[in-house]
Amino acid sequence: MIKLNIANLNLFQIAESGQCFRFNQTEHGYRTIAEGKILDMCQESPDSITLNCSKEDYKGYWHDYLDLSTDYASYISAIPSNDSFMTEAAIYGSGIRILRQPLFETLISFIISQRKSIPAIKTSIEAICRMCGNEIDEGIYAFPTPEQLASCSMEEILSCSVGYRARYILSAARSVAQGKTPLEELHKLDDDDVFKALLEFDGVGVKVANCVRLFGYHRLAAFPEDVWIINTINNYYGGKFPLDLYEGFAGVMQQYMFFYARSNKLGK
DNA sequence: GCGCAGGTAATCT
DNA sequence: AGATTACCTGCG
């Protein structure tokens, strides 16, 4: 058990921020599953959490997964005081951190996300894990590797309620499994080239590529525009968000905006 | 029972 | 380039 005293980290806010689909509330706290590992977490106070994992796993994986080295307070204090919406939104979601999620899982998850509600996305992802992921613990399955998913038939993938996205999923899994698109290698590229490489996948457009760039590759400059963000910009920024004010960390602002708008059912 | 959901690609003008 | 439309299916 690891106890951390840290500001700007709220498990509820992260779970509801829309960046992750297997980071969910449990009886006692929160649980996330990533890279074949399970992490149980508990919010002990606004400024402290406990993690149920070994020191090795913490240092070797979860520390970076939870993005604990990034100073979010500095991003929040960089918000100009005349941007009253963002000031408010950042206070509201000040515990959000942008996770470093497994690349392949992030890619497939956001391909699934198109025109689906968040609960429906989660249902499909769990079905895929159960269908072909390793069983990590009793009834708990890892997200499949590219090879595992690529070896599934179209019918099997269709059975996970993904509809017309099935061919996108299979095509992406095959491309990665065959080494045609080496996801890990893309880490070396700059933001623009990561974006272009992701757009090569069939079924990946601007929105999904930006989500993978932000939530997988941790490129904080990426600014995914989904319906919540578009509505918010239309309603509160006159249709144009001042991206230049947030150069290099607009993705963090996107998260504050999304969480604030969706939690308060703004826009629509 | 029924519209819609964290979009994308194809097919128009 | 910009606008329009079909698309699977579970959730509310």
Side-chain angles (χ1 to χ4, degrees):
Chain A
M1 191 76 89
I2 292 183
K3 176 158 188 186
L4 300 171
N5 293 307
I6 185 161
N8 300 110
L9 175 51
N10 183 290
L11 300 174
F12 168 79
Q13 291 175 9
I14 292 171
E16 295 298 316
S17 68
Q19 62 178 302
C20 46
F21 302 106
R22 302 195 80 196
F23 187 121
N24 293 312
Q25 195 148 22
T26 59
E27 278 179 72
H28 305 295
Y30 290 84
R31 166 175 284 179
T32 186
I33 305 165
E35 215 66 65
K37 291 188 261 286
I38 301 166
L39 179 65
D40 285 313
M41 301 163 279
C42 199
Q43 188 87 41
E44 303 292 344
S45 79
D47 286 335
S48 66
I49 59 167
T50 50
L51 306 179
N52 188 8
C53 67
S54 69
K55 205 162 189 174
E56 292 72 49
D57 277 350
Y58 171 68
K59 287 188 169 172
Y61 190 69
W62 298 117
H63 173 88
D64 277 348
Y65 171 88
L66 292 168
D67 195 29
L68 299 183
S69 294
T70 298
D71 179 9
Y72 283 82
S74 74
Y75 293 134
I76 294 173
S77 57
I79 299 169
S81 54
N82 64 357
D83 190 340
S84 55
F85 184 91
M86 195 51 75
T87 302
E88 180 96 2
I91 292 168
Y92 191 82
S94 62
I96 297 173
R97 278 170 189 264
I98 297 182
L99 306 176
R100 291 169 201 269
Q101 302 186 68
L103 302 179
F104 182 63
E105 173 174 348
T106 306
L107 172 66
I108 300 299
S109 296
F110 281 97
I111 287 175
I112 292 171
S113 78
Q114 57 189 90
R115 282 205 69 76
K116 257 182 177 295
S117 66
I118 290 176
I121 298 165
K122 291 182 176 180
T123 301
S124 285
I125 291 173
E126 289 313 312
I128 285 177
C129 294
R130 198 160 300 123
M131 176 177 71
C132 62
N134 293 331
E135 188 168 19
I136 318 168
D137 203 341
E138 225 174 297
I140 303 171
Y141 295 83
F143 194 86
T145 63
E147 293 75 18
Q148 286 173 324
L149 195 52
S151 70
C152 291
S153 67
M154 189 67 88
E155 288 69 31
E156 287 177 304
I157 292 177
L158 278 168
S159 75
C160 300
S161 313
V162 295
Y164 64 91
R165 306 161 192 83
R167 70 184 179 86
Y168 300 149
I169 293 168
L170 198 50
S171 150
R174 284 176 177 162
S175 170
V176 176
Q178 291 166 5
K180 218 174 111 200
T181 318
L183 293 179
E184 300 297 335
E185 298 290 309
L186 302 188
H187 272 303
K188 297 175 190 156
L189 305 180
D190 66 29
D191 290 4
D192 249 20
D193 287 339
V194 173
F195 187 60
K196 284 180 195 151
L198 292 171
L199 287 176
E200 291 296 309
F201 288 105
D202 201 12
V204 173
V206 170
K207 156 65 168 62
V208 170
N210 267 323
C211 285
V212 179
R213 187 156 66 144
L214 181 59
F215 306 133
Y217 290 91
H218 209 259
R219 303 305 172 97
L220 300 185
F223 188 78
E225 298 190 42
D226 53 51
V227 292
W228 289 100
I229 298 297
I230 290 167
N231 286 336
T232 302
I233 292 174
N234 285 337
N235 295 336
Y236 295 91
Y237 288 93
K240 181 95 180 96
F241 184 67
L243 275 173
D244 51 309
L245 293 179
Y246 303 104
E247 217 175 315
F249 61 103
V252 179
M253 300 300 122
Q254 191 269 8
Q255 283 287 278
Y256 296 147
M257 192 186 279
F258 179 86
F259 178 67
Y260 184 68
R262 191 163 177 273
S263 301
N264 294 294
K265 301 191 190 327
L266 301 180
K268 216 18 272 165

